[in-house]
Amino acid sequence: MSDASPVVVRNRRQFLQFLAASAVLTPASRAWAQQLAASHDSVIASANDALQIMDFEEAARRVVPPAHWGYMASGTEDDATLRANVEAFKHIQLKPRRLVDVSKSDLSTEVLGQKMVMPLYISPVGSQRAFHNQGELATARAARAKGVTMGLSSVTTYSVEDIAKELGTPPWYQLYMPLKWEETERLVKRVEAAGCPMLLWTVDLLAGRNTPTMTRFARQDTRNCVSCHTNGPGTPIHRPMYEGLEGRYNPSQATWDWVGRLKKLSKMKLFLKGLDSAEDAKLAVEHGADGIIVSNHGGRAADTLRATIDCLPEVVAAVNGRIPVFVDGGFRHGTDVYKALASGAKAIGIGRPYIWGLSAFGQEGVEKVLDIYRAELTLTMRQMGTPTVREITAARIVRT
């Protein structure tokens, strides 16, 4: 990363662009200057400059404080599962079909009676005001602008009621279950009263986790954090969904019997978020879950070294079409989304990528991230000869 000032960097880039356009230089020299100009400052200056999802990561890293970056970017232990989620897609090949009429594409789908403009949704990510002053409000506005389904974290920095207003419809609600059952009842009833159609109970953190990378980033942060951590650094920021409650969550004593208890509290569809094995998938069906989200919390639950895209097939096979299966973790390209659909997922959740967009450019950044996913998925579907979601099957991929 250059230590040069923005003015110096801009002048260098302009000089290289001048050389690239010079008629005096040879074609090879002009091409060399053009390449240097394009790569000289790789950090995008606006959301519209982004060509791919990963263009947002460095732009976000430069504006997010170290402790907040560590909260979002780290995994557990050595962050190996976090990396595995991304790398695993490189071991799945695509098999295109040619001479298929792909002049019209249809990305729409439906899950449990809910229509989606594309089989991709915004996964719940907590504490979004740590990344942008509008936090979940900006994300909700972007989701509304693009017609994309949004999941809201229990540790949101804005209430579910406020988000529903900005989103134009109640979000899916991700549940970190309070330690006390009576508080779980109060929280679930509040969420249902807000109109949320789906409850996503996250079960992969009930045993706790170890996040040394997060701690190391926090130690680098020398800011006075009382502006967002009213009780001082290291304490949670404002969590409106736990107002009036004790505030502690993720009971380690929870068992499969609690699925039935939770379902009796409301008429919302209940998804279990954080399953990654055939054994648990079968139990989820047996205990009445309405859906499963194959997830390892973005590599932030346990360092299993099992990528979610690799866990997906056995979960889909165990469910055998009885309930829908979603998946999240490591999706950076439209081709990644396609591979998950071909592996049996009904919808795909994105997390870090839209937070990068939010961090760097607010609502506009989130919208651009969603635009890129849609454009890449559309192109991939056409290249594969499957212009509609229902035509995407396992026949179009090869696992190596």
Side-chain angles (χ1 to χ4, degrees):
M1 181 166 47
S2 172
D3 293 325
S5 71
V7 173
V8 172
V9 170
R10 183 169 64 251
N11 289 342
R12 284 179 188 163
R13 186 165 60 251
Q14 290 173 344
F15 176 66
L16 289 168
Q17 290 170 338
F18 167 78
L19 292 179
S22 174
V24 177
L25 298 178
T26 65
S29 297
R30 291 200 303 271
W32 171 78
Q34 186 176 25
Q35 183 178 8
L36 284 179
S39 63
H40 191 70
D41 185 4
S42 61
V43 181
I44 56 176
S46 72
N48 284 333
D49 289 338
L51 301 177
Q52 293 181 303
I53 296 300
M54 293 306 298
D55 290 342
F56 287 98
E57 183 181 30
E58 181 61 17
R61 194 191 66 79
R62 294 199 179 193
V63 299
V64 176
H68 295 182
W69 181 261
Y71 168 78
M72 179 269 297
S74 68
T76 58
E77 304 293 348
D78 295 328
D79 302 335
T81 305
L82 185 159
R83 292 190 296 271
N85 278 345
V86 177
E87 292 295 318
F89 289 102
K90 296 179 181 179
H91 301 287
I92 304 176
Q93 301 173 348
L94 296 174
K95 293 173 58 180
R97 293 298 305 273
R98 308 305 184 192
L99 293 176
V100 177
D101 182 358
V102 293
S103 58
K104 297 180 181 179
S105 300
D106 184 4
L107 276 64
S108 66
T109 189
E110 185 174 317
V111 179
L112 296 177
Q114 182 165 340
K115 294 182 179 180
M116 304 175 68
V117 297
M118 60 176 168
L120 180 144
Y121 64 93
I122 290 175
S123 288
V125 174
S127 306
Q128 290 186 27
R129 286 177 70 184
F131 310 106
H132 187 271
N133 58 10
Q134 290 294 302
E136 293 87 355
L137 295 181
T139 298
R141 292 171 189 143
R144 183 174 189 171
K146 299 302 175 181
V148 174
T149 301
M150 176 181 175
L152 182 67
S153 172
S154 279
V155 290
T156 174
T157 47
Y158 289 97
S159 71
V160 66
E161 295 86 359
D162 289 341
I163 296 303
K165 291 178 183 177
E166 296 297 328
L167 188 59
T169 187
W172 294 350
Y173 188 83
Q174 176 263 342
L175 176 68
Y176 283 136
M177 183 181 288
L179 295 189
K180 296 180 179 179
W181 185 255
E182 58 269 25
E183 293 191 353
T184 297
E185 292 179 340
R186 289 174 59 187
L187 180 55
V188 170
K189 291 183 184 302
R190 176 182 175 181
V191 171
E192 184 172 37
C196 295
M198 295 193 189
L199 188 67
L200 319 177
W201 181 23
T202 295
V203 297
D204 56 12
L205 294 185
L206 300 179
R209 63 181 174 185
N210 181 29
T211 55
T213 300
M214 187 190 307
T215 302
R216 291 189 182 100
F217 272 104
R219 288 174 176 173
Q220 297 173 23
D221 206 323
T222 58
R223 298 168 305 127
N224 182 348
C225 297
V226 294
S227 60
C228 52
H229 299 268
T230 54
N231 294 317
T235 61
I237 62 176
H238 180 54
R239 294 173 172 173
M241 296 309 297
Y242 290 100
E243 287 181 346
L245 308 180
E246 185 180 66
R248 295 188 299 158
Y249 48 83
N250 286 334
S252 58
Q253 73 272 26
T255 65
W256 285 102
D257 291 337
W258 290 39
V259 176
R261 295 179 67 188
L262 197 55
K263 279 185 65 65
K264 290 178 181 178
L265 291 182
S266 81
K267 295 180 180 179
M268 290 182 287
K269 300 295 185 182
L270 176 61
F271 275 65
L272 298 184
K273 183 178 185 295
L275 306 186
D276 60 8
S277 70
E279 295 91 337
D280 281 348
K282 292 176 181 177
L283 287 169
V285 174
E286 291 173 10
H287 285 82
D290 297 296
I292 290 171
I293 303 178
V294 177
S295 176
N296 53 32
H297 223 94
R300 292 158 55 81
D303 231 359
T304 63
L305 302 183
R306 300 184 71 221
T308 52
I309 191 64
D310 289 337
C311 299
L312 179 60
E314 70 172 85
V315 172
V316 169
V319 166
N320 195 27
R322 290 173 290 179
I323 57 176
V325 177
F326 296 169
V327 62
D328 61 43
F331 291 85
R332 305 292 183 262
H333 302 279
T335 50
D336 299 341
V337 176
Y338 188 95
K339 291 170 183 178
L341 295 172
S343 299
K346 294 297 183 183
I348 286 80
I350 59 167
R352 289 184 178 91
Y354 82 83
I355 294 297
W356 296 335
L358 174 69
S359 300
F361 307 110
Q363 176 183 342
E364 184 183 8
V366 180
E367 288 188 26
K368 183 63 175 181
V369 166
L370 295 173
D371 283 343
I372 291 175
Y373 275 114
R374 185 180 184 92
E376 289 186 354
L377 178 57
T378 300
L379 179 60
T380 304
M381 288 169 61
R382 295 176 66 182
Q383 284 281 3
M384 293 302 105
T386 54
T388 65
V389 172
R390 66 176 178 273
E391 295 175 273
I392 302 173
T393 69
R396 300 276 58 78
I397 59 173
V398 177
R399 290 179 176 266
T400 62

